[in-house]
């Protein structure tokens, strides 16, 4: 789903969609993608951890990421969810 790179404020890509122009499943994938990218090891850097990922999505809730999706993701992570 290509819309998962869109952001609520229109700063995403490829089409600069805003708010409700972005499909709900795409907003869910966007948050999960950010969390996975930050909390996982990458060839160019070590994993930054779940705490850093939570800080990123909560600081962007309502601006970059859907608030309800962010809250649901944080709740899952705080309950011990992992991508492993």
């Amino acid at each position: 789903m290509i819309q998962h790179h869109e952001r609520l404020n229109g700063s995403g890509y490829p089409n600069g969609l805003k708010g409700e122009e972005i499909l709900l499943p795409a907003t869910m994938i966007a948050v999960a993608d950010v969390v996975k990218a930050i909390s996982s090891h990458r060839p160019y850097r070590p994993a930054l951890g779940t705490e850093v990922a939570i800080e990123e999505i909560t600081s962007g809730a309502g601006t970059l990421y859907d608030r309800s999706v962010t809250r649901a993701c944080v709740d899952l992570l705080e309950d011990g969810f992992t991508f492993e």
Side-chain angles (χ1 to χ4, degrees):
M1 174 165 290
I2 198 164
Q3 286 188 359
H4 80 281
H5 290 291
E6 302 287 358
R7 298 296 180 250
L8 292 181
N9 65 1
S11 66
Y13 64 92
N15 298 311
L17 300 178
K18 293 181 180 182
E20 292 183 11
E21 296 173 327
I22 306 167
L23 299 173
L24 179 60
T27 66
M28 297 165 81
I29 294 169
V31 170
D33 185 53
V34 169
V35 170
K36 177 73 172 162
I38 291 173
S39 62
S40 299
H41 172 80
R42 296 293 195 229
Y44 50 87
R45 62 146 177 85
L48 300 176
T50 304
E51 299 80 21
V52 174
I54 289 173
E55 288 175 21
E56 167 59 28
I57 63 173
T58 55
S59 70
T63 306
L64 301 175
Y65 316 111
D66 180 276
R67 284 187 193 280
S68 61
V69 170
T70 299
R71 182 74 254 155
C73 183
V74 170
D75 288 348
L76 285 170
L77 293 169
E78 288 177 347
D79 285 346
F81 175 85
T82 67
F83 288 99
E84 303 336 274

